[in-house]
Amino acid sequence: MTTTTTTASAVPPPPQKTLAQRVPDFLIWGVLIGLLLIAFGPAELYKLPLLFANSSNMQELGRGFVTPDWTNLQLYVSKMWQTIQMAIWGTFLAILTAIPLGLLASRNITPWFIQWPIRRALDIVRSIPDLVIGMIFLVAVGPGPLAGVMALAIGTSGVLAKLFSEATESIDRGPVEGVRATGGAKLHEIVWGVIPQVAPLWTSYALYRFESNSRSATVLGLIGAGGIGQVLYESMNSFSYSETGAIVIVIIVAVVGIDMLSQAIRGRLL
């Protein structure tokens, strides 16, 4: 009678990094920790105890937030709706601008002498804060929602164009080459080979920026660019914390609603 002994295969040990391979990791973490320590003073983190030292002021602010004043609820809702409308138009204009710029900034679509300057121009646009752009348009068109819409449109176009170009650069070249093999022109390659591949990502990016613009439009109201931000700023300056609490609740409800709507749209389209 023959006895067969089965030996289980040994589990291979986990991969081990040598000291030379670990040095770059140590350097990266060392630099990160060093930057945190260097930035501790300039960021004034040593003032954190003041959050508890001035507890009476924080308690007064907290009481206002937990006892919101709904007297002007209709005004708050109308201003919030105006803020959302600003975000809608700002995002829409940004998408119209970002689509051609994103294609022109893609390395696999245009030659370097077109792609490079477009990229640098987008860098410049993204480096300018929305508040600065808003103040420029306040000078041009005066206080009101239009200045906020244009600030959102320009700032968002720079961000979306970059995201659109990165999505375009990651496409599969197969469909594009297939369109080219049938005798299609460059425009046909983009319409039939590129757009169908990037449309889901582009849609997701656009919806995310719409959510972000709904919050950014609130901040733009602080400089007189319309929306609920101006009402929020006035209530805080007058120390009407109960009104401030009501306004903040309206903003939170609106942002949550927009997020839920975006998720529904994203789930339907993607």
Side-chain angles (χ1 to χ4, degrees):
M1 184 176 181
T2 305
T3 305
T4 304
T5 304
T6 304
T7 304
S9 59
V11 178
Q16 298 289 335
K17 286 185 176 181
T18 64
L19 180 60
Q21 293 174 326
R22 291 177 180 272
V23 167
D25 296 337
F26 293 150
L27 288 176
I28 292 174
W29 284 107
V31 170
L32 178 59
I33 295 173
L35 288 174
L36 289 173
L37 294 175
I38 292 172
F40 185 87
E44 296 187 348
L45 290 181
Y46 55 85
K47 290 185 178 180
L48 280 176
L50 293 179
L51 292 174
F52 308 97
N54 297 329
S55 58
S56 58
N57 296 336
M58 297 297 293
Q59 289 173 3
E60 181 182 355
L61 179 63
R63 281 193 297 268
F65 272 80
V66 298
T67 57
D69 182 2
W70 301 106
T71 304
N72 298 317
L73 177 61
Q74 186 175 358
L75 172 64
Y76 305 153
V77 173
S78 64
K79 287 295 185 180
M80 189 67 230
W81 173 234
Q82 185 183 58
T83 300
I84 295 173
Q85 290 173 312
M86 290 166 56
I88 292 173
W89 266 105
T91 307
F92 176 72
L93 294 175
I95 292 172
L96 293 182
T97 306
I99 290 176
L101 289 178
L103 293 172
L104 290 173
S106 302
R107 296 184 180 92
N108 56 342
I109 299 294
T110 57
W112 70 269
F113 55 83
I114 294 178
Q115 174 261 330
W116 192 87
I118 294 293
R119 286 260 180 165
R120 301 294 75 77
L122 294 177
D123 292 341
I124 294 173
V125 170
R126 291 197 306 274
S127 66
I128 305 175
D130 290 344
L131 287 176
V132 175
I133 300 175
M135 293 179 66
I136 293 173
F137 280 101
L138 282 175
V139 175
V141 301
L146 180 58
V149 170
M150 296 308 299
L152 292 174
I154 292 179
T156 304
S157 63
V159 175
L160 284 181
K162 180 179 185 295
L163 295 175
F164 287 1
S165 67
E166 291 177 349
T168 303
E169 291 176 351
S170 64
I171 63 171
D172 181 8
R173 295 295 301 175
V176 178
E177 294 172 356
V179 174
R180 184 183 305 156
T182 61
K186 190 70 174 180
L187 182 59
H188 296 135
E189 295 177 12
I190 294 174
V191 173
W192 301 110
V194 176
I195 300 298
Q197 296 189 66
V198 298
L201 269 179
W202 283 10
T203 302
S204 180
Y205 292 148
L207 288 173
Y208 170 74
R209 286 305 304 182
F210 170 63
E211 299 170 19
S212 178
N213 283 342
S214 300
R215 297 185 293 271
S216 298
T218 301
V219 178
L220 288 170
L222 301 179
I223 61 173
I228 199 171
Q230 188 169 358
V231 181
L232 176 64
Y233 181 70
E234 292 172 354
S235 69
M236 294 186 68
N237 276 348
S238 60
F239 302 102
S240 302
Y241 296 133
S242 295
E243 294 182 5
T244 303
I247 296 171
V248 170
I249 292 175
V250 169
I251 294 173
I252 292 174
V253 171
V255 171
V256 171
I258 291 171
D259 180 64
M260 296 175 63
L261 178 62
S262 297
Q263 289 181 358
I265 295 174
R266 190 179 291 109
R268 182 71 176 177
L269 296 178
L270 304 183

PDB file of all heavy atoms in Angstrom, residues 148-161:
ATOM      1  N   GLY A 148     -21.141  87.985 -10.181  1.00  0.00           N
ATOM      2  CA  GLY A 148     -20.919  86.671  -9.609  1.00  0.00           C
ATOM      3  C   GLY A 148     -20.948  85.574 -10.658  1.00  0.00           C
ATOM      4  O   GLY A 148     -20.135  84.644 -10.622  1.00  0.00           O
ATOM      5  N   VAL A 149     -21.875  85.672 -11.589  1.00  0.00           N
ATOM      6  CA  VAL A 149     -21.964  84.675 -12.659  1.00  0.00           C
ATOM      7  C   VAL A 149     -20.683  84.657 -13.474  1.00  0.00           C
ATOM      8  O   VAL A 149     -20.125  83.589 -13.773  1.00  0.00           O
ATOM      9  CB  VAL A 149     -23.177  84.963 -13.564  1.00  0.00           C
ATOM     10  CG1 VAL A 149     -23.128  84.089 -14.820  1.00  0.00           C
ATOM     11  CG2 VAL A 149     -24.474  84.719 -12.813  1.00  0.00           C
ATOM     12  N   MET A 150     -20.179  85.817 -13.849  1.00  0.00           N
ATOM     13  CA  MET A 150     -18.968  85.875 -14.676  1.00  0.00           C
ATOM     14  C   MET A 150     -17.750  85.381 -13.901  1.00  0.00           C
ATOM     15  O   MET A 150     -16.870  84.719 -14.462  1.00  0.00           O
ATOM     16  CB  MET A 150     -18.746  87.309 -15.159  1.00  0.00           C
ATOM     17  CG  MET A 150     -19.849  87.834 -16.072  1.00  0.00           C
ATOM     18  SD  MET A 150     -20.209  86.737 -17.452  1.00  0.00           S
ATOM     19  CE  MET A 150     -18.639  86.707 -18.301  1.00  0.00           C
ATOM     20  N   ALA A 151     -17.683  85.687 -12.607  1.00  0.00           N
ATOM     21  CA  ALA A 151     -16.561  85.199 -11.798  1.00  0.00           C
ATOM     22  C   ALA A 151     -16.577  83.679 -11.722  1.00  0.00           C
ATOM     23  O   ALA A 151     -15.540  83.022 -11.861  1.00  0.00           O
ATOM     24  CB  ALA A 151     -16.632  85.800 -10.396  1.00  0.00           C
ATOM     25  N   LEU A 152     -17.762  83.104 -11.513  1.00  0.00           N
ATOM     26  CA  LEU A 152     -17.876  81.648 -11.469  1.00  0.00           C
ATOM     27  C   LEU A 152     -17.548  81.026 -12.816  1.00  0.00           C
ATOM     28  O   LEU A 152     -16.878  79.989 -12.891  1.00  0.00           O
ATOM     29  CB  LEU A 152     -19.292  81.245 -11.047  1.00  0.00           C
ATOM     30  CG  LEU A 152     -19.703  81.570  -9.606  1.00  0.00           C
ATOM     31  CD1 LEU A 152     -21.173  81.236  -9.391  1.00  0.00           C
ATOM     32  CD2 LEU A 152     -18.844  80.802  -8.614  1.00  0.00           C
ATOM     33  N   ALA A 153     -18.019  81.657 -13.893  1.00  0.00           N
ATOM     34  CA  ALA A 153     -17.798  81.106 -15.229  1.00  0.00           C
ATOM     35  C   ALA A 153     -16.316  81.066 -15.573  1.00  0.00           C
ATOM     36  O   ALA A 153     -15.810  80.048 -16.075  1.00  0.00           O
ATOM     37  CB  ALA A 153     -18.568  81.939 -16.263  1.00  0.00           C
ATOM     38  N   ILE A 154     -15.601  82.127 -15.290  1.00  0.00           N
ATOM     39  CA  ILE A 154     -14.179  82.168 -15.648  1.00  0.00           C
ATOM     40  C   ILE A 154     -13.368  81.235 -14.764  1.00  0.00           C
ATOM     41  O   ILE A 154     -12.539  80.447 -15.247  1.00  0.00           O
ATOM     42  CB  ILE A 154     -13.663  83.621 -15.550  1.00  0.00           C
ATOM     43  CG1 ILE A 154     -14.301  84.474 -16.641  1.00  0.00           C
ATOM     44  CG2 ILE A 154     -12.141  83.659 -15.658  1.00  0.00           C
ATOM     45  CD1 ILE A 154     -13.890  85.920 -16.616  1.00  0.00           C
ATOM     46  N   GLY A 155     -13.581  81.300 -13.460  1.00  0.00           N
ATOM     47  CA  GLY A 155     -12.827  80.434 -12.567  1.00  0.00           C
ATOM     48  C   GLY A 155     -13.094  78.959 -12.822  1.00  0.00           C
ATOM     49  O   GLY A 155     -12.163  78.143 -12.859  1.00  0.00           O
ATOM     50  N   THR A 156     -14.356  78.611 -13.039  1.00  0.00           N
ATOM     51  CA  THR A 156     -14.708  77.208 -13.267  1.00  0.00           C
ATOM     52  C   THR A 156     -14.225  76.719 -14.622  1.00  0.00           C
ATOM     53  O   THR A 156     -13.870  75.540 -14.774  1.00  0.00           O
ATOM     54  CB  THR A 156     -16.230  77.031 -13.153  1.00  0.00           C
ATOM     55  OG1 THR A 156     -16.672  77.506 -11.881  1.00  0.00           O
ATOM     56  CG2 THR A 156     -16.625  75.571 -13.292  1.00  0.00           C
ATOM     57  N   SER A 157     -14.213  77.587 -15.617  1.00  0.00           N
ATOM     58  CA  SER A 157     -13.753  77.165 -16.948  1.00  0.00           C
ATOM     59  C   SER A 157     -12.300  76.705 -16.897  1.00  0.00           C
ATOM     60  O   SER A 157     -11.922  75.738 -17.575  1.00  0.00           O
ATOM     61  CB  SER A 157     -13.925  78.299 -17.959  1.00  0.00           C
ATOM     62  OG  SER A 157     -13.109  79.415 -17.607  1.00  0.00           O
ATOM     63  N   GLY A 158     -11.469  77.387 -16.107  1.00  0.00           N
ATOM     64  CA  GLY A 158     -10.076  76.978 -15.988  1.00  0.00           C
ATOM     65  C   GLY A 158      -9.927  75.612 -15.351  1.00  0.00           C
ATOM     66  O   GLY A 158      -9.107  74.794 -15.783  1.00  0.00           O
ATOM     67  N   VAL A 159     -10.736  75.340 -14.323  1.00  0.00           N
ATOM     68  CA  VAL A 159     -10.669  74.046 -13.643  1.00  0.00           C
ATOM     69  C   VAL A 159     -11.213  72.939 -14.539  1.00  0.00           C
ATOM     70  O   VAL A 159     -10.595  71.878 -14.703  1.00  0.00           O
ATOM     71  CB  VAL A 159     -11.450  74.098 -12.315  1.00  0.00           C
ATOM     72  CG1 VAL A 159     -11.492  72.716 -11.669  1.00  0.00           C
ATOM     73  CG2 VAL A 159     -10.836  75.114 -11.374  1.00  0.00           C
ATOM     74  N   LEU A 160     -12.390  73.177 -15.136  1.00  0.00           N
ATOM     75  CA  LEU A 160     -13.004  72.135 -15.964  1.00  0.00           C
ATOM     76  C   LEU A 160     -12.175  71.835 -17.206  1.00  0.00           C
ATOM     77  O   LEU A 160     -12.070  70.678 -17.619  1.00  0.00           O
ATOM     78  CB  LEU A 160     -14.418  72.558 -16.370  1.00  0.00           C
ATOM     79  CG  LEU A 160     -15.498  72.451 -15.291  1.00  0.00           C
ATOM     80  CD1 LEU A 160     -16.848  72.871 -15.851  1.00  0.00           C
ATOM     81  CD2 LEU A 160     -15.581  71.043 -14.732  1.00  0.00           C
ATOM     82  N   ALA A 161     -11.587  72.858 -17.815  1.00  0.00           N
ATOM     83  CA  ALA A 161     -10.770  72.625 -19.009  1.00  0.00           C
ATOM     84  C   ALA A 161      -9.590  71.716 -18.683  1.00  0.00           C
ATOM     85  O   ALA A 161      -9.238  70.824 -19.472  1.00  0.00           O
ATOM     86  CB  ALA A 161     -10.285  73.952 -19.586  1.00  0.00           C
TER      87      ALA A 161
END
